[in-house]
Every structure is written in C-alpha cells, then in structure tokens.
Amino acid sequence: MKQFRHLMTMAALALTGATMTACSGDDEPVPGGMQPESTTAYTLTTTLTFDGGGETRALTEAGVKTFAVGDQIAVKYYKNGKDWDYETATSEPLTAADITDEGKTATITVTLTDPVVGKTDIRYVYPAYLESDIGRASILENKQDGSLAKLAEKFDYAEAAGNIDYSGGTPALPALTLQNQLALAKFTFSDGSADITASLRKLLIEDGAHTYFVTPSSASEIWVALYPVGTDQTIKLMPNDGAQFYEKSVTGKALVANNIYPISVTTPATTDSRLMPLTIEAWENGAEVSFKLSDAVTRPVEYRTCLSGTWGAWTGYTSNKGITLPATGDKVCFRGTNAKYDQSTISCTSNCYLYGNVMSLIDPMAFPALKELTEEQTFQDLFNGNKHINIDAARPFLLPATTLRNDCYESMFSGCANLTVAPALPATNLADACYKNMFQSCGSLEHGPLLPATSLKLSCYEGMFNSCGSLKSVICLATEYIVGNINDMLYYAGNPYSGEKPTFYKAPGATWPRDDDDDGANGIPKFWNVEDYSVTP
C-alpha cells in the first residue's frame, strides 16, 4: 500500500552503476546517401534517500516519509542538438525490490541520451509528472481535492540542481539534496457559530500570483499544497458550501516552502458582489421574475430564493417559470453551467435591483475567479427589454471578464428604460461587436461606464448608447478610430435641449470625428463637449 510522503529533504547517496549503448555510424547505407545519426544512451543507476529529520516538514504528523512502488523522478539535462533547453528523462517506475530502509531509500534507473559533455547542469524533479513549470502550476491550481492522501500521492513537489560528473569517462549523476518547493496548509473553517469544513464543496484561494480551485469532499480538514507566500501578499480564502460563498482575507502571513501550517479560519457569509451569484432583489412588493432560456442553453440552470430573510435550497429551473418575490427585499439568484446564453432573457414585472456576478451562469462554484468568455454571443440580450431592472451602485452587478468574444454583450441592456447605473466594463482587449447596442434606449442612464480599451475592434461600440436621451458623459480611452464604432455610438444620445451639454472624455491626443448635426450619426454629436480625460473629469 502506498504510504504518505512528507515534505523533507532528499539526499542522493551513491552511483551504483552505468551502462552505455550506441548506434554505430557503420550501419548499412540508407538509400539516397543519407546516414542515420549516431546516438549514445547511458543507463544510470543511483540510490536516493529521504532525510529522516524535521517533523514540521512531514505530510503526516507522525513524520513518516517513504518512497512508494510506481514512483518516478524526472531528470532534466542538456542533450546534443537541443542544448538551449532541458531535455527530460523519466526514471523507471520503482518496484518493491528498489525500495529499502523502510521506504526511505530507493534505487532509481534512468537513461540519458546524448547528454552534452560541456554543459553539465542537471535537475531532479519529484514526482516526475510535475516536471513542467507550466503544467505543474495548472495541476496544483486545478486538481487538488483537499485530502492528505491525494496531496501525498500527487503534490509532494521537490527539486534539486547540480552537475553531471564526466571525470570517469562516462557520466555519473550527482548526489544532491532534494528540496521541497511548496508550503502545506491544513485548513478548517467556521462561520462564527459552527465548523463548516465538512460541508464545503469548493475552496478558492488567491494570493495575487496563483488562483487555486480546490474541490473537497466532506472532510474535517482541507489540505492544500501552495506556492510560497510572502508577508507582503494577501491570501484571499473563498469557501463555498454549495449554497453560498464565505470570504476571509489574510495579510502579513508568510507561507514558507517545506513547512506545514494549520490554519483555522472564521469566515462570515460574503456580501461581496464578486462572490455572489446573479441576484435580482425586489424593491416593490409582488415582483415576478422569469428567465426565458433559449436553445443555446443546453445544461441545467438553478435558482434560489430568499423570502422574508429565509434562504431556500438551490432548485432546477424550467424556462419561463415565474418566481414571485412577495415583499420588498425578497430576492432570487441564478446559476448554471452553460458557456453561452444568447437570446435568453430575464424579465421582471415590477421594479427590481440587479447585483452579483454574471459569471455564476457559467460556473456555479468557480465563478468568482472566472475572467474569460469562451463562446460568442455569451450574454446577448440577457436583460433586453426589461424596463423594471436597475443597478444599485452600492451593490454592483459585475461583468468581470477581461477576455471577450464577438457579440458577447450585444443588446444586453437594450430597452432597460429604468437603468440609471451601468456595470463596469474592465476589459482592455475587445472583440468584434462586443458592446454593440449594449445600452440602446436606456433612457434613464446618465453616465456611461469607463471604456478603458486603447484599441478597438470592428463595431465594438456601434450603437452602444443609441437613444440614451439622458446621457451626460462618456469616458473613452481609445487612441485609434475605426469607422462604425464612434459613428453610431452616440446616435441620438443626450438631450440637445436640456441646457446642459453632455461631455465626451477622450484620451489626450486622440482625435475623434464630429458630426455636423446633433443626431450623432457620423461622429460625436454637434452639441456635445469633447475634453481630454483626467482621473477626475
């Protein structure tokens, strides 16, 4: 049976043998005069041993660290013909006969082909399947399940670097100490009144450099292997019990490689819109909310209500089902697992606030960390024609994607006559028609969102504020102009008879076409002011 491994150092003991094979250049001629290249392969055998000290670095509190049958180590070296980057050789899987000293010592066998004699740098990576820097980060961020057993088997990542010895005529692997590169955290969570660890279904961890998606399974503690964290970094913990997210930020805490950290966290339910699913809250009694699902929606959508302060369970949603919110303050949340919702629409029969994170429609558990849309027309028409929806600036509605797709938000709020606050649009890399007609006919909207992109895509702003008669300002930081973006962007936007001229704030030095008329069909409307943007317009 495979035993738990521990975060201890590893020392290489003795090189017990090496063999060499070669393909001679005297092989039979190949037609056409081409000769096969000569290669030399060295099969090397060495003994590796785990350090027996340092219980704080152990994966079990008993401090036992052992090799297991099937373990492999990656050996990264420079190969002839590829001396600009490491070649990777993988040791043969360990057998029971290879493992001695109660599992602390193992004999490994690995074959190096055509190593560069003059470039002797070598690295060991344990276990072998974590040898790729990019692949390792992806595995650690996405594959952990919170169990100590899985961590011991898959995520006990250690490295060592040294030099091959050629003084004896054939290469000999160096004896090195293998240092673990990760810190281990053993988490338990409380909501302030009870331990909720065993109820958690997802744990998101952010440290500013990495985002971990851990999927625990009803355990009393959650183990996570983490890249080291300095005291200047903030660790954000976001557990989810299947119904809602909790949140806690930890500052001034260093997590050092080769150490275990028991971390007990008291974390209240969050009010951060980023961690809340798409939510609609009644501001009038008796509102009815429905979600018409188009044919693009092929996977389940769920909803959850909070009526008179009592939360219900997540329940499967049927298209067009009316959900009644009897009292002001009652709310309904939506989540799903679909990559696109084009031409699906959410409607309300009386005035409601909209807040939370739209990405809950794409992934019900991981949505707080999602920043990429993967399908075109993702949320096209989502609130189109909903005359009763509005956004409360104190509880924003988030569109956090920074990677967009064509038509992703087209007509999303078109015809939302009651909308007075626009959601923030953080993306700086746009897509064709991504914001086309997004706020068309939003007659109560006074200020457009900051548009931070410096370069544009075809039709990305076309008709964006078409017929927004109350519009007073737009901030656009684009430094280039594409026909079809600005021409209709402000078509019939603003009121030329109000006595207060709207203002188009542009990037300093940028030049935008002006329309000779007030309708804005061919550029910024004649009656609009144009000013350079500063931090405080």
Side-chain angles (χ1 to χ4, degrees):
M1 178 179 293
K2 191 175 188 70
Q3 301 182 55
F4 291 157
R5 305 190 190 93
H6 291 248
L7 297 182
M8 295 182 177
T9 57
M10 179 184 290
L13 294 184
L15 181 67
T16 59
T19 61
M20 178 181 73
T21 60
C23 299
S24 169
D26 297 329
D27 292 349
E28 291 296 322
V30 176
M34 297 295 293
Q35 297 296 319
E37 294 184 3
S38 177
T39 60
T40 303
Y42 300 92
T43 299
L44 309 175
T45 304
T46 192
T47 301
L48 305 175
T49 299
F50 289 115
D51 185 351
E55 289 189 9
T56 60
R57 294 169 292 166
L59 281 186
T60 69
E61 283 148 78
V64 178
K65 180 177 177 65
T66 60
F67 285 105
V69 171
D71 277 353
Q72 292 178 283
I73 293 175
V75 179
K76 302 173 78 70
Y77 68 101
Y78 288 103
K79 178 181 178 181
N80 283 322
K82 189 189 173 184
D83 59 359
W84 63 90
D85 194 10
Y86 281 115
E87 180 75 3
T88 300
T90 303
S91 71
E92 297 176 7
L94 294 180
T95 65
D98 295 324
I99 302 170
T100 58
D101 190 21
E102 298 182 342
K104 295 181 181 180
T105 300
T107 299
I108 69 164
T109 301
V110 64
T111 298
L112 308 187
T113 302
D114 287 340
V116 180
V117 175
K119 202 166 186 179
T120 62
D121 296 0
I122 194 168
R123 287 170 58 199
Y124 297 132
V125 180
Y126 174 82
Y129 83 103
L130 294 180
E131 60 87 16
S132 165
D133 292 341
I134 296 176
R136 182 189 316 120
S138 178
I139 290 169
L140 292 171
E141 291 174 354
N142 295 287
K143 300 297 185 182
Q144 300 193 61
D145 69 357
S147 71
L148 180 59
K150 186 70 171 286
L151 196 156
E153 180 184 3
K154 297 292 187 181
F155 309 120
D156 187 7
Y157 159 50
E159 281 201 14
N163 298 93
I164 303 174
D165 181 8
Y166 286 95
S167 62
T170 57
L173 298 179
L176 300 173
T177 297
L178 195 63
Q179 296 286 346
N180 195 276
Q181 304 298 303
L182 303 177
L184 291 189
K186 181 177 69 172
F187 291 107
T188 56
F189 292 90
S190 169
D191 64 1
S193 59
D195 190 291
I196 61 171
T197 309
S199 69
L200 298 180
R201 295 294 173 265
K202 182 71 73 174
L203 172 59
L204 306 186
I205 304 174
E206 293 180 340
D207 62 17
H210 301 277
T211 300
Y212 303 86
F213 298 82
V214 183
T215 306
S217 54
S218 303
S220 60
E221 53 195 30
I222 300 174
W223 289 81
V224 186
L226 303 167
Y227 285 99
V229 173
T231 56
D232 59 335
Q233 292 175 266
T234 296
I235 305 169
K236 191 168 187 178
L237 305 171
M238 296 164 280
N240 186 306
D241 62 5
Q244 62 185 327
F245 271 96
Y246 300 81
E247 180 184 11
K248 181 73 172 182
S249 293
V250 180
T251 58
K253 176 72 172 178
L255 302 181
V256 181
N258 222 23
N259 285 272
I260 284 180
Y261 298 91
I263 302 176
S264 297
V265 181
T266 299
T267 172
T270 185
T271 57
D272 184 345
S273 284
R274 180 190 171 204
L275 303 180
M276 300 181 70
L278 187 158
T279 302
I280 297 175
E281 179 176 325
W283 88 43
E284 295 179 351
N285 295 342
E288 184 175 283
V289 179
S290 61
F291 196 171
K292 180 182 178 182
L293 302 175
S294 71
D295 292 340
V297 180
T298 58
R299 303 183 69 182
V301 172
E302 295 181 315
Y303 76 99
R304 183 187 188 212
T305 59
C306 181
L307 306 180
S308 300
T310 300
W311 282 101
W314 284 102
T315 305
Y317 184 76
T318 303
S319 181
N320 271 330
K321 176 182 178 179
I323 301 169
T324 300
L325 305 178
T328 298
D330 287 348
K331 56 184 73 79
V332 60
C333 307
F334 290 99
R335 69 183 189 182
T337 54
N338 294 275
K340 63 188 298 184
Y341 287 81
D342 65 290
Q343 298 183 49
S344 299
T345 54
I346 296 175
S347 60
C348 308
T349 59
S350 58
N351 291 338
C352 294
Y353 280 119
L354 168 67
Y355 54 92
N357 190 333
V358 74
M359 303 300 269
S360 69
L361 296 178
I362 293 178
D363 190 314
M365 293 292 183
F367 69 85
L370 297 185
K371 296 292 180 66
E372 179 178 1
L373 304 180
T374 60
E375 295 283 346
E376 296 183 355
Q377 303 168 331
T378 320
F379 298 118
Q380 185 185 66
D381 292 326
L382 189 61
F383 301 101
N384 192 339
N386 190 334
K387 298 179 180 180
H388 298 288
I389 207 77
N390 197 8
I391 295 174
D392 182 354
R395 294 179 298 173
F397 178 58
L398 301 183
L399 307 177
T402 53
T403 299
L404 307 185
R405 293 291 182 264
N406 293 349
D407 308 291
C408 55
Y409 298 129
E410 181 179 349
S411 300
M412 187 175 189
F413 293 97
S414 180
C416 293
N418 208 35
L419 188 73
T420 60
V421 176
L425 301 176
T428 55
N429 295 312
L430 306 184
D432 290 352
C434 55
Y435 301 136
K436 182 178 180 181
N437 298 329
M438 187 174 184
F439 301 105
Q440 177 178 304
S441 299
C442 290
S444 300
L445 186 66
E446 294 188 350
H447 302 283
L450 171 68
L451 303 176
T454 57
S455 61
L456 306 181
K457 294 290 187 177
L458 183 65
S459 297
C460 60
Y461 294 154
E462 182 180 339
M464 189 174 186
F465 302 105
N466 183 347
S467 300
C468 292
S470 300
L471 199 64
K472 296 179 180 179
S473 70
V474 170
I475 303 171
C476 180
L477 302 186
T479 57
E480 65 176 11
Y481 164 71
I482 297 178
V483 174
N485 280 287
I486 199 66
N487 290 46
D488 300 318
M489 181 184 186
L490 300 174
Y491 188 60
Y492 283 108
N495 185 351
Y497 308 109
S498 68
E500 180 183 358
K501 290 186 175 183
T503 302
F504 183 87
Y505 295 98
K506 66 180 184 65
T511 302
W512 294 98
R514 297 297 302 266
D515 197 329
D516 292 335
D517 296 318
D518 288 337
D519 61 10
N522 297 300
I524 299 171
K526 179 181 178 180
F527 71 97
W528 278 61
N529 291 323
V530 177
E531 298 181 12
D532 286 347
Y533 175 73
S534 61
V535 175
T536 305

